[in-house]
Structures are given as structure tokens and as C-alpha cells.
Amino acid sequence: RFRAGQSTAMASSQDINTGRIVCPYLDTINRTALDFDFEHSCSVSLESSPHIYACLVCGKFFRGKGKQTPAYTHAVEEGHFVFVHLTKGTFHCLPDDYEIKNEPSLNDISEALHPKFTKAEVEKLDENQELARDLFGRRYLPGFVGLNNLNKTDYLNAVLQALAHVRPLRDFFLLAGSGQQESINGHNNVETEDHNSSRKRKHSKSNNANPAEFSHLAKCFSLLLRNMWSSHRFKSNVDPHMLVQAVSVASNKRYHVGKQAEAGEFLSWLLHQLHVGVGGTRKSGSSIVHETFMGRVEVTTLIKKRRKRGEESALEILNAVPVANDDAVA
């Protein structure tokens, strides 16, 4: 067993050809214990910070990697040495603290942690009919996966399932996972059809959408959609825990776990939050949400013509004339 203070030379080996450090503990990774859908907070201190690491042996989350941090202590006491930074996606060996780089055997974990899509992959999503397989051998079709009910969050799951299949919105947030502004700008134009004619109107997307500046809620929504459409998941269902927590905070617990709500009201609230979260303003076409869902309303007003005086119908005049009966004539 590795002990704290042991030298790097004993804890790792170096590839002569590439010069990279090879971690000898990669075979201790237990992929069936990994679940990255839960909120990234330390299991010991319950803190949420940008520096949370997941133990790849037991699947628990810990803060930090320096001495006296929960991750360091866990590595020393439990003998679990391989960790992944949940935000950056980098792999580390603790407690000796060296980064594991250019390791092909860890690519599947990277894809499960941070799914990413290229423009070519996004354009072929609707044509895909190939089933993917999770670690347990269960087959699933990407994009058509179940969302766990976290106690009366069925209304939220229904809205998310619907939005995940609105193509312009879906494509935008899938490409936002790359973290690069040019990946989402200038993608497919949004087309809407005028029902009174065969003419189509095209709208160009906002040219200043920067995924790095998205709100926390918009980032969680992007991650959830990428998980739903990913073919590299370790399990065939998706847990919307991170998005549910972000929704609860943004709505001041108006939409919270254990509290039922109307799906229609939540849909309106969520679309507004996403519109603002990606940089949308009051200006028309300032976000993908506005371009996709903002339509035109045609109003037809019917004016009832008032009749002028003296234009009574013959029937009305006839009804107004008293009719004499036989007794009165006699």
C-alpha cells in the first residue's frame, strides 16, 4: 500500500518513449461506482467549490488535493489513489499529487464526465437509430432516456424531455459544451414557417453568445442535455439533480424537490431564465430562446355594423302592428 511521503519514483513509472508519467494504480478504478450526475459537493464538508475531486475507486466526492484536505486524507486512509477534477476533467494521483496525462484508458471517463459534440455529430443526431450500451449491458437510444423523479419533480422532467427535442435549442446547448464561442455561433439558422404562405423566414442567431459567461442554470441545462444525448454514459438513465438544485436556487425554492408545480408555469419561467442566462436582452433575436419560441400573432377584429334608425325589418314592423280579433271587430 502507498504511504504518504513515498517518493514519486516509487509511486509511478515513466514511459521511456513518451516521457509521460504512468500511474500504477489505474487498475483500481471502479467504473460501476462512478456517477457524475450528482451535485459536485464534498461528501465530508458538504462544501461546493470549483475544486471538487471524485475518487475513481469508490465514486465519492472530496474537496481539494493538498495536505489535510478531505481528498488527501481519503487517499491516505482508504488507499484510493486515482482522482478526477470534476470541473477541469484532469486526472491526479494522490497523495503524491501528480497529474496523469495522455492516458488513453481514461478517455471513456472523460466522455462520461463532460460529453462534447461536434457540429457534424449534432447534425446527425436525428438520423441515429443505433442503440448505445451502458456498463451494465443495458441498451438505450441517446436522446430517449429516462430522468429520475426526485420526489415530485415529474413536471420538471416532462418539460425537460420536451425541450430536449426542440432541435434549434438542443443543438445550441449541445455545442455549448465545447466551451468555445465559435462552436455555437453561426450554426444552423432557425427556420420558421408562415402558415399563411409557403414562404419561410430565417433568423440568424446571436453572434455574441459565450458559453463561459452563461449563468449557472444555463450551464446545468447544457450539461443535462449533453448527458441525455450522449452515447458514452455509464448508466442508461439520467439524474437531473444538478439542474434541479440550480432551479431551486434561481427560483428561491418556488420550484423545489418535494413541491409539486404546474408544468406550463415552470416552462415559461425556465425559458425566461435560459434567455437571460445566455445573454438575452429585450432586443429581438438576442438569444436562441427568443429566436426559437418568439412567434407572431395574427389578430383579426370583427366589427358589428350598427343599423340606422328607420331601417327596421318588415318582420319587426309586422310584429309591432296590433292584430284585431273577431270579437273586437264585432
Side-chain angles (χ1 to χ4, degrees):
R1 172 172 288 197
F2 184 82
R3 295 183 176 84
Q6 189 174 354
S7 65
T8 303
M10 296 178 62
S12 62
S13 59
Q14 191 172 20
D15 192 316
I16 300 177
N17 297 327
T18 63
R20 65 184 178 89
I21 297 178
V22 180
C23 178
Y25 304 111
L26 297 181
D27 58 345
T28 62
I29 296 177
N30 182 14
R31 286 169 172 78
T32 59
L34 303 182
D35 191 347
F36 302 123
D37 290 347
F38 290 101
E39 185 179 7
H40 297 171
S41 59
C42 179
S43 60
V44 177
S45 62
L46 303 181
E47 296 179 62
S48 296
S49 74
H51 302 291
I52 300 296
Y53 293 80
C55 174
L56 298 183
V57 181
C58 64
K60 295 181 180 179
F61 298 166
F62 301 96
R63 176 184 58 83
K65 62 184 180 67
K67 291 184 177 181
Q68 298 182 354
T69 61
Y72 183 94
T73 304
H74 178 76
V76 174
E77 294 182 351
E78 301 296 331
H80 298 173
F81 307 123
V82 189
F83 293 77
V84 60
H85 193 291
L86 293 177
T87 303
K88 299 179 180 179
T90 54
F91 297 90
H92 301 265
C93 186
L94 300 180
D96 211 30
D97 193 13
Y98 61 85
E99 184 177 350
I100 307 171
K101 299 180 179 180
N102 303 322
E103 180 55 54
S105 63
L106 300 177
N107 290 342
D108 61 330
I109 299 179
S110 297
E111 293 173 344
L113 175 60
H114 293 149
K116 295 181 180 180
F117 293 83
T118 63
K119 291 182 179 180
E121 291 173 340
V122 169
E123 291 174 355
K124 296 180 180 179
L125 284 179
D126 293 328
E127 302 174 1
N128 177 52
Q129 297 180 356
E130 182 179 355
L131 298 178
R133 188 190 297 269
D134 65 7
L135 288 179
F136 303 95
R138 294 188 292 258
R139 292 183 177 272
Y140 67 95
L141 183 63
F144 298 85
V145 296
L147 296 176
N148 292 341
N149 190 341
L150 306 179
N151 188 8
K152 296 183 179 180
T153 58
D154 50 340
Y155 70 95
L156 185 143
N157 291 348
V159 171
L160 295 178
Q161 290 282 12
L163 293 180
H165 291 83
V166 178
R167 183 171 181 177
L169 187 73
R170 177 202 67 186
D171 294 355
F172 178 87
F173 280 101
L174 290 183
L175 293 174
S178 64
Q180 298 180 2
Q181 184 172 356
E182 58 271 14
S183 297
I184 60 177
N185 296 331
H187 189 53
N188 296 335
N189 289 330
V190 181
E191 293 185 353
T192 56
E193 185 175 355
D194 191 339
H195 293 286
N196 295 328
S197 67
S198 59
R199 178 175 58 87
K200 290 185 178 180
R201 299 178 290 110
K202 289 186 177 181
H203 306 274
S204 59
K205 292 183 179 180
S206 174
N207 292 324
N208 58 355
N210 187 359
E213 298 177 356
F214 284 2
S215 67
H216 179 63
L217 177 63
K219 291 180 180 179
C220 290
F221 182 78
S222 173
L223 179 59
L224 179 67
L225 260 60
R226 286 183 280 128
N227 283 330
M228 293 177 64
W229 285 94
S230 174
S231 60
H232 304 286
R233 290 190 54 78
F234 289 163
K235 59 179 184 177
S236 57
N237 61 314
V238 178
D239 194 325
H241 191 275
M242 292 184 63
L243 180 61
V244 170
Q245 292 296 327
V247 166
S248 177
V249 173
S251 65
N252 293 322
K253 294 187 177 181
R254 176 183 176 184
Y255 303 107
H256 189 63
V257 175
K259 185 178 180 181
Q260 194 70 46
E262 291 293 333
E265 295 179 0
F266 174 70
L267 174 61
S268 301
W269 178 88
L270 179 61
L271 289 178
H272 175 71
Q273 292 296 321
L274 293 177
H275 168 72
V276 176
V278 299
T281 61
R282 293 180 179 270
K283 185 177 179 181
S284 178
S286 58
S287 78
I288 184 62
V289 177
H290 190 283
E291 293 174 359
T292 304
F293 294 98
M294 184 61 69
R296 296 186 302 177
V297 178
E298 181 178 348
V299 180
T300 303
T301 304
L302 299 177
I303 301 177
K304 184 177 181 181
K305 186 177 180 180
R306 300 181 59 182
R307 292 178 300 186
K308 297 180 180 179
R309 302 188 91 181
E311 292 185 354
E312 292 83 2
S313 65
L315 181 61
E316 291 176 342
I317 296 176
L318 182 61
N319 292 334
V321 176
V323 178
N325 53 33
D326 296 339
D327 296 337
V329 174

